[in-house]
Coordinates of all heavy atoms in Angstrom, one line a residue:
A1 N 138.9 123.2 82.4 CA 137.7 122.4 82.7 C 137.0 122.0 81.4 O 135.8 121.5 81.5 CB 136.8 123.3 83.6
G2 N 137.5 122.2 80.3 CA 137.0 121.7 79.0 C 136.0 122.5 78.3 O 135.2 122.0 77.5
P3 N 136.1 123.9 78.4 CA 135.1 124.7 77.7 C 135.2 124.5 76.1 O 134.1 124.5 75.5 CB 135.4 126.1 78.1 CG 136.8 126.1 78.6 CD 137.0 124.7 79.2
L4 N 136.4 124.4 75.6 CA 136.5 124.3 74.1 C 136.0 122.9 73.7 O 135.3 122.8 72.7 CB 138.0 124.5 73.7 CG 138.2 124.4 72.2 CD1 137.7 125.7 71.6 CD2 139.6 124.2 71.9
L5 N 136.3 121.9 74.5 CA 135.8 120.6 74.1 C 134.3 120.5 74.2 O 133.7 119.8 73.5 CB 136.5 119.5 75.1 CG 138.0 119.4 74.9 CD1 138.5 118.4 76.0 CD2 138.4 118.9 73.5
R6 N 133.8 121.2 75.2 CA 132.3 121.3 75.3 C 131.7 121.8 74.0 O 130.7 121.3 73.5 CB 131.9 122.2 76.5 CG 130.5 122.5 76.6 CD 130.3 123.6 77.7 NE 128.9 124.0 77.8 CZ 128.4 124.9 78.7 NH1 129.3 125.5 79.5 NH2 127.2 125.2 78.7
L7 N 132.3 122.9 73.5 CA 131.8 123.5 72.3 C 132.0 122.6 71.1 O 131.2 122.5 70.2 CB 132.5 124.8 72.0 CG 131.9 125.8 71.0 CD1 130.4 126.1 71.3 CD2 132.7 127.1 71.0
C8 N 133.1 121.9 71.1 CA 133.4 120.9 70.0 C 132.3 119.8 70.0 O 131.9 119.4 68.9 CB 134.8 120.3 70.2 SG 136.2 121.4 69.7
K9 N 132.0 119.3 71.2 CA 130.9 118.3 71.3 C 129.6 118.8 70.7 O 128.9 118.1 70.0 CB 130.8 117.9 72.7 CG 129.7 116.8 73.0 CD 129.5 116.5 74.4 CE 128.3 115.5 74.6 NZ 128.2 115.2 76.1
E10 N 129.3 120.0 71.1 CA 128.0 120.6 70.6 C 128.0 120.7 69.0 O 127.0 120.7 68.4 CB 127.8 122.0 71.2 CG 127.5 121.9 72.7 CD 127.5 123.2 73.4 OE1 127.7 124.3 72.7 OE2 127.2 123.3 74.6
R11 N 129.2 120.9 68.5 CA 129.3 121.0 67.0 C 129.6 119.7 66.3 O 129.8 119.6 65.1 CB 130.5 122.0 66.7 CG 130.3 123.4 67.1 CD 129.2 124.1 66.3 NE 129.6 124.3 64.9 CZ 130.4 125.3 64.5 NH1 130.8 126.2 65.3 NH2 130.7 125.3 63.2
G12 N 129.5 118.6 67.0 CA 129.5 117.3 66.4 C 130.8 116.6 66.3 O 131.0 115.5 65.6
I13 N 131.9 117.1 66.9 CA 133.2 116.4 66.9 C 133.1 115.2 67.7 O 132.6 115.2 68.9 CB 134.3 117.3 67.5 CG1 134.3 118.7 66.8 CG2 135.6 116.6 67.4 CD1 134.6 118.6 65.3
Q14 N 133.5 114.0 67.2 CA 133.2 112.7 67.7 C 134.2 112.3 68.8 O 133.8 111.7 69.8 CB 133.1 111.7 66.6 CG 132.0 111.9 65.6 CD 132.1 111.0 64.4 OE1 133.1 110.3 64.3 NE2 131.1 111.1 63.5
R15 N 135.4 112.6 68.6 CA 136.5 112.1 69.6 C 137.1 113.4 70.2 O 137.7 114.2 69.6 CB 137.5 111.3 68.9 CG 138.6 110.8 69.9 CD 139.6 109.9 69.2 NE 140.7 109.6 70.0 CZ 142.0 109.6 69.7 NH1 142.3 109.8 68.4 NH2 143.0 109.3 70.6
L16 N 137.0 113.4 71.6 CA 137.5 114.6 72.3 C 138.6 114.1 73.3 O 138.4 113.1 74.0 CB 136.3 115.2 73.1 CG 135.1 115.6 72.3 CD1 134.0 116.0 73.3 CD2 135.4 116.7 71.3
A17 N 139.6 114.9 73.4 CA 140.7 114.6 74.3 C 141.3 115.9 74.8 O 141.3 116.9 74.1 CB 141.8 113.7 73.7
G18 N 141.8 115.9 76.1 CA 142.4 117.0 76.6 C 143.4 116.7 77.7 O 143.3 115.6 78.4
I19 N 144.4 117.6 78.0 CA 145.3 117.4 79.0 C 145.5 118.8 79.7 O 145.5 119.8 79.1 CB 146.7 116.9 78.5 CG1 147.6 116.6 79.7 CG2 147.3 117.8 77.5 CD1 148.9 115.8 79.2
D20 N 145.6 118.7 81.0 CA 145.8 119.9 81.8 C 146.5 119.6 83.1 O 146.4 118.5 83.7 CB 144.5 120.6 82.1 CG 144.6 122.1 82.5 OD1 144.9 122.3 83.7 OD2 144.6 122.9 81.6
A21 N 147.3 120.6 83.6 CA 148.1 120.4 84.8 C 147.2 120.4 86.1 O 147.6 119.9 87.1 CB 149.2 121.5 84.9
S22 N 146.0 121.0 86.0 CA 145.2 121.1 87.1 C 144.3 119.9 87.3 O 143.4 119.7 86.5 CB 144.3 122.4 87.0 OG 143.3 122.4 88.0
A23 N 144.5 119.2 88.4 CA 143.6 118.1 88.7 C 142.2 118.6 89.0 O 141.2 117.9 88.7 CB 144.1 117.3 89.9
E24 N 142.0 119.8 89.6 CA 140.7 120.3 89.9 C 139.9 120.6 88.6 O 138.7 120.2 88.5 CB 140.8 121.6 90.7 CG 141.4 121.4 92.1 CD 140.4 120.8 93.1 OE1 139.3 120.6 92.7 OE2 140.8 120.5 94.2
A25 N 140.6 121.1 87.6 CA 139.9 121.4 86.4 C 139.5 120.2 85.6 O 138.4 120.0 85.1 CB 140.8 122.3 85.5
I26 N 140.5 119.2 85.6 CA 140.2 117.9 84.9 C 139.0 117.2 85.6 O 138.2 116.5 84.9 CB 141.4 117.1 84.8 CG1 142.4 117.7 83.8 CG2 141.1 115.7 84.4 CD1 142.0 117.7 82.4
A27 N 139.0 117.2 86.9 CA 137.9 116.6 87.6 C 136.5 117.1 87.2 O 135.6 116.3 86.9 CB 138.1 116.7 89.1
L28 N 136.4 118.4 87.0 CA 135.1 119.0 86.6 C 134.9 118.6 85.1 O 133.8 118.2 84.7 CB 135.2 120.5 86.7 CG 133.9 121.2 86.2 CD1 132.7 120.8 87.0 CD2 134.1 122.7 86.3
A29 N 135.9 118.6 84.3 CA 135.8 118.3 82.9 C 135.3 116.8 82.7 O 134.5 116.5 81.9 CB 137.1 118.5 82.1
K30 N 135.9 115.9 83.5 CA 135.5 114.5 83.4 C 134.0 114.3 83.9 O 133.3 113.5 83.3 CB 136.4 113.7 84.3 CG 137.7 113.4 83.8 CD 138.5 112.5 84.7 CE 139.9 112.1 84.0 NZ 140.6 111.2 84.9
E31 N 133.6 115.1 84.8 CA 132.2 115.1 85.3 C 131.2 115.5 84.2 O 130.2 114.9 84.0 CB 132.0 116.0 86.5 CG 130.6 116.1 87.0 CD 130.5 117.1 88.1 OE1 131.4 117.2 89.0 OE2 129.5 117.8 88.2
R32 N 131.6 116.6 83.4 CA 130.7 117.2 82.4 C 130.9 116.5 81.0 O 130.0 116.5 80.2 CB 131.0 118.7 82.3 CG 130.9 119.4 83.6 CD 129.5 119.5 84.1 NE 129.4 120.0 85.4 CZ 129.4 121.3 85.8 NH1 129.5 122.3 84.8 NH2 129.3 121.7 87.0
L33 N 132.1 115.9 80.8 CA 132.3 115.3 79.5 C 132.9 113.9 79.7 O 134.0 113.6 79.4 CB 133.4 116.1 78.7 CG 133.0 117.5 78.3 CD1 134.2 118.3 77.8 CD2 131.9 117.5 77.2
P34 N 132.0 113.0 80.2 CA 132.5 111.6 80.6 C 133.0 110.8 79.4 O 133.8 109.9 79.6 CB 131.3 111.0 81.2 CG 130.1 111.7 80.7 CD 130.6 113.2 80.5
E35 N 132.6 111.2 78.2 CA 133.0 110.5 77.0 C 134.4 110.9 76.5 O 135.0 110.2 75.7 CB 132.0 110.6 75.9 CG 132.0 112.0 75.2 CD 131.2 113.1 76.0 OE1 131.0 112.9 77.2 OE2 130.7 114.0 75.3
A36 N 135.0 112.0 77.0 CA 136.3 112.5 76.6 C 137.4 111.8 77.3 O 137.3 111.3 78.4 CB 136.3 114.0 76.8
D37 N 138.5 111.7 76.6 CA 139.8 111.2 77.1 C 140.5 112.4 77.7 O 141.2 113.1 77.0 CB 140.6 110.5 76.0 CG 141.9 110.0 76.5 OD1 142.2 110.0 77.7 OD2 142.7 109.5 75.6
L38 N 140.5 112.5 79.1 CA 141.0 113.6 79.8 C 142.1 113.2 80.7 O 141.9 112.3 81.5 CB 139.9 114.4 80.5 CG 138.8 114.9 79.6 CD1 137.5 115.3 80.4 CD2 139.3 116.1 78.8
Q39 N 143.2 113.9 80.6 CA 144.4 113.5 81.4 C 144.9 114.7 82.2 O 145.0 115.8 81.8 CB 145.5 113.0 80.5 CG 145.1 111.9 79.6 CD 144.9 110.6 80.3 OE1 145.5 110.3 81.3 NE2 144.0 109.8 79.8
V40 N 145.4 114.4 83.5 CA 146.1 115.3 84.3 C 147.6 115.2 84.0 O 148.1 114.1 84.1 CB 145.8 115.1 85.8 CG1 146.7 116.1 86.6 CG2 144.4 115.3 86.1
G41 N 148.2 116.3 83.6 CA 149.7 116.2 83.3 C 150.2 117.5 82.8 O 149.5 118.4 82.4
D42 N 151.5 117.5 82.7 CA 152.3 118.6 82.1 C 152.6 118.3 80.7 O 153.5 117.4 80.4 CB 153.6 118.8 82.9 CG 154.5 119.9 82.4 OD1 154.1 120.5 81.4 OD2 155.5 120.1 83.0
F43 N 151.9 118.9 79.7 CA 152.1 118.6 78.3 C 153.4 119.0 77.8 O 153.8 118.5 76.7 CB 150.9 119.1 77.5 CG 150.9 120.6 77.3 CD1 151.7 121.3 76.5 CD2 150.0 121.4 78.1 CE1 151.7 122.7 76.3 CE2 150.0 122.8 78.0 CZ 150.8 123.4 77.1

């Protein structure tokens, strides 16, 4: 759901991206981090 990316944003990291197999988790991450490039998939 993006907890590490959330912390990165708070520390000033400008470009955030993530991938996860869970559509449920990514849906929440997109809601909370709309500026991030977030993908559902098997990395």
Side-chain angles (χ1 to χ4, degrees):
L4 184 73
L5 296 175
R6 172 186 177 183
L7 195 56
C8 286
K9 177 182 177 180
E10 293 172 358
R11 296 287 297 274
I13 307 300
Q14 298 171 354
R15 182 181 171 217
L16 308 172
I19 184 169
D20 198 273
S22 170
E24 295 286 355
I26 289 293
L28 178 60
K30 285 185 173 182
E31 176 186 322
R32 304 291 171 82
L33 297 167
E35 71 277 28
D37 180 3
L38 298 165
Q39 305 289 329
V40 178
D42 178 359
F43 67 80

